[in-house]
Amino acid sequence: MVMQLGKGIQPEKDWPAAVEVLNEGGASDIVLLCEHASNHMPAEYRQLGLDASHLQRHIAWDIGAAEVTRLLSARLEAPAFLSGYSRLLIDLNRPLGTSGSIPVLSEDTDIPGNVGLDEAERERRAAIMFTPFHDRVAAQLDRRAKDGRATRIATIHSFTPVFLGIARPWHAGVLYDRAGDFGEAILAGLRRDGKLNAAANVPYVITRDADYAVPIHGDDRGIPAVLIEIRQDLLASRSGIEAWADRVAAALPAQQKEKAS
């Protein structure tokens, strides 16, 4: 049963669009995704039984990633697709039906409101939050293919400096599976700053049971696709966010030339 909205809550704000699209007709061959852009949770979910402070943590969204994505979209003239809901409701970068899709445990935190969900609620969240996002991305990629436009995908994420008590030394990671040339070119660009600790496939690796965008929108279509991770403490200020947007923009290799017909 859907609960009534709290007093003063506007439906369009409580239930925003699943995807925020920027610069959809942008000239760049880069298409940006930010699947963990928002920590928004409609009132009916009652914060999934969590204290409000948990919604400001990494378990609810990727801190700083949305701001970096918006700046990159403007700097590169690139289309960008940003999520409208918290990853705790349904994770846009996890395949449907996997344990990470609607987590009952995130890092070391139990998520009471996700325990024992029936299939109807799982399908409802997918229909409202997951499918519209990925359909919009797929439509963009279909149009670009039809128009013969070169395309590369960069998904923008952030990671915690410490995970379950273990410190992470990297400033950034570039994750990829089939797009090794693209990923290594970005790393080479980041490493032009000798003070940066940037590495391939850290702090995670791309797998089909734990990732969605890179394998589905990228590898399966033959589109070079990477996931860029930036450590969250480096995005704690506006100056840090702007600096990292500049770094990533500069590190992306020059736009591919269209293939001759």
Side-chain angles (χ1 to χ4, degrees):
M1 181 181 293
V2 177
M3 296 167 50
Q4 295 297 315
L5 295 177
K7 217 171 188 182
I9 297 176
Q10 299 177 25
E12 65 272 18
K13 292 185 178 179
D14 203 43
W15 292 93
V19 55
E20 174 190 354
V21 183
L22 305 176
N23 213 355
E24 193 164 15
S28 177
D29 73 332
I30 299 292
V31 174
L32 299 166
L33 276 59
C34 189
E35 306 99 307
H36 302 151
S38 176
N39 64 349
H40 178 72
M41 214 173 272
E44 78 165 74
Y45 287 105
R46 296 184 178 182
Q47 301 173 172
L48 297 177
L50 298 169
D51 184 271
S53 63
H54 288 298
L55 301 189
Q56 302 305 316
R57 294 175 51 207
H58 177 70
I59 65 171
W61 61 337
D62 277 8
I63 297 164
E67 290 88 345
V68 171
T69 302
R70 292 188 177 100
L71 289 176
L72 281 171
S73 178
R75 284 160 169 68
L76 300 172
E77 293 185 60
F81 299 81
L82 296 88
S83 66
Y85 292 88
S86 172
R87 65 191 297 182
L88 287 175
L89 290 169
I90 191 164
D91 194 318
L92 301 189
N93 196 39
R94 301 289 183 271
L96 295 175
T98 62
S99 60
S101 174
I102 301 177
V104 297
L105 177 71
S106 186
E107 296 184 13
D108 58 354
T109 302
D110 292 320
I111 316 299
N114 286 344
V115 175
L117 294 185
D118 59 24
E119 194 58 30
E121 174 58 21
R122 292 179 177 276
E123 291 178 356
R124 177 178 183 242
R125 294 191 197 181
I128 293 172
M129 305 165 196
F130 184 96
T131 301
F133 179 94
H134 289 293
D135 282 355
R136 192 72 178 271
V137 173
Q140 164 82 194
L141 299 176
D142 289 343
R143 283 195 301 273
R144 296 173 74 93
K146 183 178 179 181
D147 294 342
R149 294 186 62 186
T151 300
R152 295 173 295 170
I153 296 170
T155 77
I156 308 301
H157 293 250
S158 66
F159 66 97
T160 56
V162 178
F163 181 73
L164 299 180
I166 299 175
R168 291 158 154 178
W170 313 283
H171 299 118
V174 180
L175 286 60
Y176 54 83
D177 186 2
R178 298 181 188 170
D181 290 347
F182 184 30
E184 290 299 325
I186 296 170
L187 279 171
L190 291 173
R191 289 168 177 162
R192 285 196 290 265
D193 180 347
K195 296 179 182 178
L196 283 185
N197 183 351
N201 297 312
V202 296
Y204 313 106
V205 296
I206 299 290
T207 63
R208 289 216 165 238
D209 60 352
D211 292 274
Y212 190 89
V214 167
I216 301 301
H217 294 308
D219 293 345
D220 286 357
R221 287 176 175 261
I223 296 173
V226 300
L227 189 157
I228 298 173
E229 290 271 10
I230 304 166
R231 207 174 67 198
Q232 286 173 2
D233 58 316
L234 306 176
L235 303 177
S237 66
R238 184 64 189 180
S239 61
I241 288 166
E242 291 180 354
W244 274 94
D246 288 341
R247 283 190 184 100
V248 174
L252 287 165
Q255 181 167 321
Q256 293 177 334
K257 296 179 180 178
E258 302 292 346
K259 294 180 181 178
S261 56

